[in-house]
Amino acid sequence: MSDWTTWQRQANFIAGQWVGADDGAVIDVINPASQEVIGTVPKAGTAETTRAIDAAGAAFPGFAAMALMDRLALLWRLYDALMDHQSALAELLTVEMGKPLAEAMGEIAIGAQYVRWFAEEARRAKGEIVPAGVTGRRILVTRHPVGVVGMITPWNFPSSMLARKLAPALAVGCTVVAKPATATPYSGLAWGALAEEVGFPPGVVNILTGSARAISGAMMARPDLRKITFTGSTGVGKELIRGSAGTVKKISMELGGNAPFLVFDDADLDAAVQGAMTSKYRNMGQTCVCANRFYVQSGIHDAFVARLVEKTAALKVGDGREPGVAQGPMVDMAAVEKIESLLRDAIGKGATVATGGRRHAKGGSFFEPTVLTGATQAMTFAREEIFGPLAPIFMFRTEAEAIAMANDTVFGLAAYAYTSDLSRAFRLNEGLDYGMIGINSGLITTVEAPFGGVKESGIGKEGGSQGLDEYLETKYTCIDGI
Ligand code: NAP
């Protein structure tokens, strides 16, 4: 057992040492529920990142050559450490990010599950011997860790977004330089403290905070940093794709979403409303897979809206550490202003507020969970990610119309649909242009499945067996004259 402050490391973890920025510069970290400064972290830049990459490069050959079972034993210990300190790590996460404590507990637990999953999957990172077309020749296909990996992660899941990258990378023998989001650095730095506690060799895990451009610029400039894995907005992802071209790095990009949530007349209404609540309001609507657009068929529309409004109005808003709170604060005031601007746009184009629609009486960045009816494709949220507790309801009549509207976006991360018709479920599987589809489920993230998007939602997968492939290179060796 430990206290959350035990894990609040106000320093960077480079080459096994806890260090400040070279010039001593720091950044304040704020609790969004109280607006209080809870501490600082170093404002690192190019020089510190260069040293971290050097350390990761130096550690790589030894770590990659470590006996597999010894390396995986480190991951098992990491799993145990996460679960032993789950409460403290969750409280740290809530204090810096705002999500309800129960959700933070879940996030630490799923991070631990990723560690365990990839420790299992790494034992099956098999190659193959392929029949050769000519005599005397053997074709070997083997798989090898890519090398030093740069990781950049967002604030909305400050612990588990790193888990999905660190676990497969470490399991196959890569070494890491990671930069968590500036708004939520402590949950990222905690991975350094955990790695130190369980005995990863110095230099294998390096965690830096500071200027995003300077840190990512230093990563991009280094040819020996062989991979960039990023989770965040599509705009920054595009910059990183361009930046990685200079040294042709392997890339994984988990980018923005604009999830449609389809409710057909034949849906189980209770299940659909429950799925909608989970999908929309988890993390105050700040997840990349949050339902962004609710398309509801005309026959079930009024009943669905009535139930959703009733449940939305009942959500308890407050500090995520208070018992029973289902909605914490938005991460910052910019997030509040974005919701307000989307609301103004929609109301100006004819939408109606069914519940919520304002800043919450608690002040700060608290916002009332909101349901909006009469949404249309002309409204801005039909194209843009809301990233907040705003549920716009669109009405549709036919399945073809619903699929066309659902696909009418540059994004392709997650989509959801509620129906009792099995044939329709298959048509949706084939017709929806998304990387992940939940049929009769509003919560589909799980370690066993490949998480990731298509179109401008990203490149590559996290989780599943596919998540390991992202950290492996395939090598072909031809042995002739046998
Ligand atoms: P963001 O602004 O793109 O930031 C993500 C990370 O990139 C942060 O560490 C940030 O650093 C860094 N960054 C910002 N500008 C950069 C630049 N020019 N070069 C290099 N790095 C830069 O995204 P966010 O607002 O934190 O997160 C929300 C977005 O993430 C949403 O679009 C959401 O859909 C997406 N997301 C996607 C997934 C997925 O799996 N597909 C999962 C979660 C979130 P600073 O914090 O220092 O600015």
Side-chain angles (χ1 to χ4, degrees):
M1 291 295 285
S2 55
D3 175 63
W4 68 269
T5 54
T6 314
W7 300 98
Q8 186 194 14
R9 297 301 167 98
Q10 305 195 51
N12 285 174
F13 191 54
I14 300 176
Q17 305 291 319
W18 290 97
V19 293
D22 289 359
D23 62 2
V26 293
I27 305 169
D28 287 344
V29 182
I30 290 164
N31 175 344
S34 64
Q35 302 292 324
E36 282 164 7
V37 175
I38 51 170
T40 63
V41 288
K43 188 175 183 190
T46 309
E48 297 87 340
T49 310
T50 301
R51 278 201 297 281
I53 299 169
D54 288 344
F60 174 66
F63 190 58
M66 188 184 273
L68 177 64
M69 295 312 279
D70 291 343
R71 198 166 62 233
L72 298 185
L74 291 169
L75 277 96
W76 304 332
R77 291 211 284 276
L78 191 55
Y79 170 84
D80 288 340
L82 281 155
M83 294 313 292
D84 287 349
H85 303 294
Q86 183 186 13
S87 298
L89 292 164
E91 193 168 350
L92 175 72
L93 202 164
T94 291
V95 167
E96 68 174 349
M97 193 268 149
K99 70 176 59 175
L101 200 50
E103 288 189 26
M105 289 288 283
E107 180 172 343
I108 302 300
I110 197 169
Q113 292 294 336
Y114 277 110
V115 170
R116 191 159 77 173
W117 169 260
F118 282 113
E120 292 160 354
E121 279 299 288
R123 299 185 71 180
R124 290 178 277 279
K126 299 174 205 154
E128 45 184 359
I129 299 175
V130 182
V134 293
T135 48
R137 178 174 279 203
R138 300 291 183 272
I139 295 172
L140 265 63
V141 180
T142 51
R143 301 170 83 208
H144 307 264
V146 293
V148 178
V149 180
M151 305 182 170
I152 302 177
T153 50
W155 50 264
N156 64 342
F157 287 91
S159 184
S160 66
M161 292 299 103
L162 257 178
R164 303 203 301 205
K165 301 179 188 305
L166 280 169
L170 296 174
V172 300
C174 295
T175 56
V176 171
V177 177
K179 189 209 99 59
T182 300
T184 56
Y186 294 132
S187 297
L189 289 164
W191 282 99
L194 289 160
E196 182 181 39
E197 178 170 300
V198 304
F200 278 89
V204 168
V205 176
N206 302 274
I207 319 264
L208 290 147
T209 52
S211 158
R213 278 185 190 277
I215 294 172
S216 75
M219 288 180 178
M220 292 305 172
R222 285 286 290 259
D224 53 343
L225 187 139
R226 289 310 315 142
K227 178 181 171 92
I228 284 280
T229 170
F230 171 71
T231 301
S233 59
T234 293
V236 172
K238 286 179 182 178
E239 269 186 56
L240 296 177
I241 293 169
R242 278 191 288 271
S244 60
T247 52
V248 193
K249 298 186 195 310
K250 195 174 167 83
I251 52 170
S252 298
M253 295 284 147
E254 293 285 346
L255 308 178
N258 180 353
F261 189 109
L262 279 49
V263 184
F264 290 91
D265 284 348
D266 59 18
D268 173 333
L269 181 61
D270 287 341
V273 172
Q274 195 46 53
M277 293 299 294
T278 308
S279 172
K280 179 68 251 183
Y281 296 116
R282 193 161 63 102
N283 209 15
M284 295 77 76
Q286 301 170 120
T287 88
C288 53
V289 291
C290 269
N292 206 63
R293 299 168 286 148
F294 288 90
Y295 293 107
V296 185
Q297 202 162 14
S298 47
I300 200 170
H301 176 272
D302 293 356
F304 179 83
V305 169
R307 296 278 265 281
L308 189 69
V309 165
E310 186 190 329
K311 282 190 172 282
T312 299
L315 288 171
K316 183 173 173 190
V317 178
D319 184 323
R321 287 192 285 176
E322 283 170 25
V325 162
Q327 295 285 282
M330 303 302 297
V331 70
D332 56 24
M333 290 313 292
V336 172
E337 283 154 21
K338 168 142 196 223
I339 302 170
E340 288 176 331
S341 127
L342 291 170
L343 269 168
R344 270 196 306 279
D345 167 78
I347 292 165
K349 291 172 182 164
T352 305
V353 175
T355 183
R358 289 172 306 187
R359 294 184 188 199
H360 196 276
K362 284 188 173 296
S365 62
F366 289 99
F367 200 84
E368 292 180 350
T370 300
V371 177
L372 210 58
T373 56
T376 70
Q377 294 296 104
M379 296 172 186
T380 305
F381 47 53
R383 296 180 304 281
E384 278 185 20
E385 209 175 11
I386 298 171
F387 237 59
L390 164 60
I393 318 278
F394 303 64
M395 200 185 341
F396 72 89
R397 293 189 191 284
T398 68
E399 180 183 305
E401 185 194 352
I403 292 176
M405 288 198 290
N407 287 339
D408 182 18
T409 165
V410 296
F411 296 107
L413 193 57
Y416 307 89
Y418 277 74
T419 177
S420 55
D421 179 343
L422 185 60
S423 305
R424 194 199 312 274
F426 276 92
R427 288 195 296 276
L428 292 170
N429 163 267
E430 287 152 22
L432 289 171
D433 209 359
Y434 286 81
M436 296 175 281
I437 300 176
I439 304 282
N440 299 327
S441 175
L443 183 61
I444 57 176
T445 306
T446 178
V447 299
E448 300 86 2
F451 187 107
V454 297
K455 294 160 72 179
E456 293 194 16
S457 288
I459 299 169
K461 302 290 174 193
E462 295 192 327
S465 58
Q466 296 83 351
L468 203 69
D469 298 341
E470 302 284 330
Y471 298 90
L472 291 166
E473 289 288 11
T474 298
K475 192 182 284 185
Y476 153 52
T477 304
C478 173
I479 305 179
D480 213 338
I482 293 173

